[in-house]
Amino acid sequence: MIVCKSPAELARMRPANVLVADVLAALRDQVREGVTTAELDAFAEAMVREAGGTPAFKGYRGFPATLCTSVNEEVIHGIPGARALGAGDVVSIDLGVVLDGFYGDAAITVPVGPIADEAAALLRVTEEALYLGIEQARAGNRVSDIGHAVQRHVEAHGFAVVRDFVGHGVGRSLHEDPQVPNVGPAGRGPRLVEGMTLAIEPMVAIGRGAVKVLKDGWSAVTRDGSLAAHFEHTVGITGDGPLILTTPSGRRRA
């Protein structure tokens, strides 16, 4: 069942999503050669808890960390640990937070120093596809209009959408209806209406886009070992168009 939010509930969702955006903005400054993904995770958890929030992923279906940190061929759900980032790597950082009973969810992919031109193009195209998908998150459109916009842009640039994972509704639960695929023909699926809140999240690979899950039960990697990227925003559908909730307050932590 799709749960629409009242204007008051949408306003109450905003602090959780701003916190997510603030933490991700601060994490950009922490990503550097030699830092471990566990160190990024500890930084994020401390910042979330200092702000009065609770990490949404930690303990969710047994996931052990605050962040999903997915490096290079890892697409999503990478578990933070002792792995140190190297020059030229890319790391996708996914964060969920619950605050005042509502969830926020967003992801970014960050380069570790200078990266190869193809890797830079992958990050650029994936983020562009996210915003093209968000542009379709308007009352009267269909859910599949979002994925159609994402797929068209990604494939026009020679990359592949990872099809095994999708975006989702979000609000009082981390995962709500509807699912939001990143592929498909336009004009299908539930009609978008005011009050819907969606986590829109393209996952894109340089290679074929097929994935497998590692023995840890979480980390999803490209089968061909190709580089992947992941960007995500939580978006509210309003009478004035899509409202990105996961925008930072402007506060940064050194």
Side-chain angles (χ1 to χ4, degrees), residues 31-157:
V31 170
R32 60 186 180 276
E33 185 178 358
V35 72
T36 68
T37 53
E39 289 170 333
L40 296 177
D41 188 70
F43 176 92
E45 181 170 0
M47 192 170 173
V48 168
R49 294 194 186 279
E50 284 173 12
T54 301
F57 300 164
K58 194 168 188 177
Y60 181 77
R61 297 182 179 176
F63 190 78
T66 294
L67 299 175
C68 297
T69 52
S70 305
V71 183
N72 294 338
E73 76 282 359
E74 295 174 343
V75 181
I76 56 170
H77 301 160
I79 299 174
R83 180 174 185 169
L85 299 178
D89 286 345
V90 300
V91 55
S92 297
I93 304 173
D94 192 358
L95 172 64
V97 163
V98 59
L99 184 65
D100 190 29
F102 286 92
Y103 285 78
D105 191 7
I108 56 175
T109 302
V110 184
V112 184
I115 58 176
D117 289 347
E118 189 176 35
L122 172 70
L123 269 60
R124 174 181 56 81
V125 168
T126 306
E127 190 168 19
E128 289 171 351
L130 168 62
Y131 285 101
L132 289 169
I134 290 171
E135 179 62 26
Q136 295 301 312
R138 296 178 177 275
N141 283 358
R142 298 278 186 176
V143 166
S144 72
D145 294 333
I146 297 170
H148 180 72
V150 169
Q151 181 182 10
R152 182 171 55 186
H153 187 69
V154 168
E155 293 180 351
H157 287 83

Side-chain angles (χ1 to χ4, degrees), residues 14 30 39 51 56 64-65 81 95 107 114 124 142 150 178 181 192-194 197 201 203 206 213 218-219 235-236 252:
R14 177 79 170 131
Q30 300 298 311
E39 289 170 333
L95 172 64
R124 174 181 56 81
R142 298 278 186 176
V150 169
L192 303 177
V193 298
E194 289 184 43
T197 46
E201 49 179 322
M203 292 148 274
I206 287 177
V213 176
W218 286 100
S219 304
V235 179
R252 298 293 289 273

Side-chain angles (χ1 to χ4, degrees), residues 10-11 13-19 21 103 170 197-198 233-236 243-248:
L10 203 61
M13 283 187 66
R14 177 79 170 131
N17 284 278
V18 169
L19 178 56
Y103 285 78
V170 61
T197 46
L198 307 174
H233 272 306
T234 295
V235 179
L243 173 65
I244 299 175
L245 297 173
T246 37
T247 54

